[in-house]
Amino acid sequence: MAFQILLNFILGFIWMFLSNDYSSLAFAKGYFFGILILFVLRRFFQHRFYFYNVIAIIRLLYIFLVELVKSNLSVLKVILSPKLNLRPGIFALETELEKEWEITILSNLITLTPGTLVLEVSEDNKTLYIHAMDIDDVEQAKLDIKNTFEKAIKEVSR
Amino acid sequence: MSVIVDFLIGFFILVGALLCLIAMFGVIRLPDVYTRNHAASKAATLGVMSILLGTFLYFYFYEGHFNSRVILGIVFLFMTAPVSGHLINRAAYNSGVKIWDKSVRDDLKEYNQKKRNKSSID
């Protein structure tokens, strides 16, 4: 992926030299045409066309922000309700992610989701121990959410 | 246009201040370290982020001054707040702070015990 970005930059510079115009607008034009060229030539690279990764990263950021707002609303509901009816607990979650940065991002996402906080990552990087604010019915839903997160992160690292 | 911007600035700053206040209530009201950490690490993060966003919008639209440091501050806060919440929780758990009303306190205890047994065998 980094190789393709570098190639795209070089194409932008070549465009600047070809058109003898050294402004940032010319570079942007060249970069855009470079994207098109790389898209046409995508089957010659080992990895997939890098713009898919860019889109996946943007989608991950969007998920982050939405989850942050949702978790705040749920925390507000718990705090401002007149009676504290919460049943906290710790549960284990198996994860399929392998690289360390993926696990870091996953645990950051889990920490920002409604009602969950990561307590510990096991030594073999396979299990996350999560403190949940309400353990009752949430656990299944939590697992579903985590599957979508895991899928989004996998989509980025593919 | 300026009415919309005024409204947005006021909205962000007020919501941020309210979220910080509610996070404070949560820290006072909730029963144990872990649930307090829920309140502090989520509500305070979003609160400070939206206050910074309101500040950025104010200086951008009123002074025409694009302050990239505020944006960087938002990004840094966003990256570091969950990590600090995690670390405080982990330190509390490993130094033996009890959970309030245990309902399912499953695998972490077992996991720690297993680890301890293994290290005593080694």
Side-chain angles (χ1 to χ4, degrees):
Chain A
M1 179 182 157
F3 172 70
Q4 291 182 43
I5 294 174
L6 186 65
L7 209 59
N8 207 343
F9 263 92
I10 291 172
L11 283 174
F13 278 113
I14 288 177
W15 180 271
M16 281 202 313
F17 282 112
L18 282 178
S19 56
N20 205 12
D21 174 13
Y22 303 102
S23 62
S24 52
L25 182 68
F27 179 75
K29 254 193 252 171
Y31 197 86
F32 174 71
F33 289 128
I35 290 174
L36 293 185
I37 289 170
L38 288 183
F39 181 71
V40 170
L41 299 178
R42 64 189 179 283
R43 70 193 188 92
F44 296 105
F45 297 112
Q46 275 178 343
H47 299 283
R48 60 182 182 156
F49 177 52
Y50 82 96
F51 226 70
Y52 293 133
N53 292 59
V54 174
I55 291 170
I57 289 171
I58 291 172
R59 189 176 298 146
L60 195 63
L61 265 180
Y62 171 74
I63 292 178
F64 250 101
L65 286 176
V66 169
E67 290 301 325
L68 184 60
V69 172
K70 272 204 301 206
S71 76
N72 271 286
L73 289 181
S74 79
V75 165
L76 292 198
K77 223 162 49 188
V78 169
I79 293 172
L80 294 182
S81 65
K83 249 177 81 183
L84 281 180
N85 49 357
L86 68 168
R87 297 178 53 214
I90 297 172
F91 66 94
L93 175 74
E94 307 286 326
T95 176
E96 300 159 21
L97 300 176
E98 281 159 5
K99 296 189 201 103
E100 299 207 330
W101 67 267
E102 291 173 337
I103 294 171
T104 311
I105 289 182
L106 180 67
S107 53
N108 269 6
L109 256 176
I110 291 171
T111 301
L112 289 177
T113 41
T116 49
L117 244 168
V118 176
L119 264 183
E120 175 94 43
V121 181
S122 70
E123 276 170 349
D124 53 359
N125 281 353
K126 283 205 178 109
T127 320
L128 296 175
Y129 294 95
I130 298 168
H131 182 269
M133 211 134 164
D134 246 322
I135 204 100
D136 305 338
D137 57 337
V138 201
E139 192 159 343
Q140 191 52 44
K142 285 280 136 50
L143 286 177
D144 291 343
I145 295 173
K146 247 129 256 170
N147 287 336
T148 67
F149 291 162
E150 271 193 1
K151 237 168 55 194
I153 293 172
K154 268 186 199 157
E155 191 65 26
V156 168
S157 72
R158 204 154 67 121
Chain B
M1 182 63 196
S2 91
V3 178
I4 300 172
V5 170
D6 280 348
F7 176 76
L8 271 183
I9 293 168
F11 174 79
F12 277 130
I13 289 183
L14 275 180
V15 163
L18 262 180
L19 278 174
C20 289
L21 184 74
I22 292 168
M24 191 264 300
F25 281 145
V27 171
I28 294 172
R29 232 191 126 188
L30 290 172
D32 71 343
V33 177
Y34 309 99
T35 42
R36 278 177 194 160
N37 211 333
H38 275 276
S41 72
K42 283 168 198 163
T45 311
L46 189 66
V48 177
M49 273 170 66
S50 59
I51 288 177
L52 282 179
L53 194 62
T55 316
F56 172 79
L57 285 179
Y58 177 82
F59 279 104
Y60 185 60
F61 281 103
Y62 280 81
E63 318 269 327
H65 171 56
F66 186 91
N67 198 337
S68 53
R69 266 165 272 178
V70 177
I71 299 287
L72 276 184
I74 293 175
V75 173
F76 285 151
L77 201 69
F78 191 54
M79 289 193 307
T80 53
V83 180
S84 63
H86 160 67
L87 281 179
I88 291 170
N89 254 5
R90 189 168 180 271
Y93 194 89
N94 286 343
S95 55
V97 177
K98 287 276 175 293
I99 280 181
W100 169 56
D101 184 31
K102 352 180 168 162
S103 51
V104 183
R105 189 191 171 160
D106 58 352
D107 291 331
L108 188 47
K109 207 173 169 188
E110 291 169 25
Y111 168 72
N112 279 337
Q113 243 154 24
K114 228 182 278 170
K115 213 164 64 173
R116 213 166 294 136
N117 290 341
K118 215 168 67 180
S119 66
S120 66
I121 287 170
D122 286 344

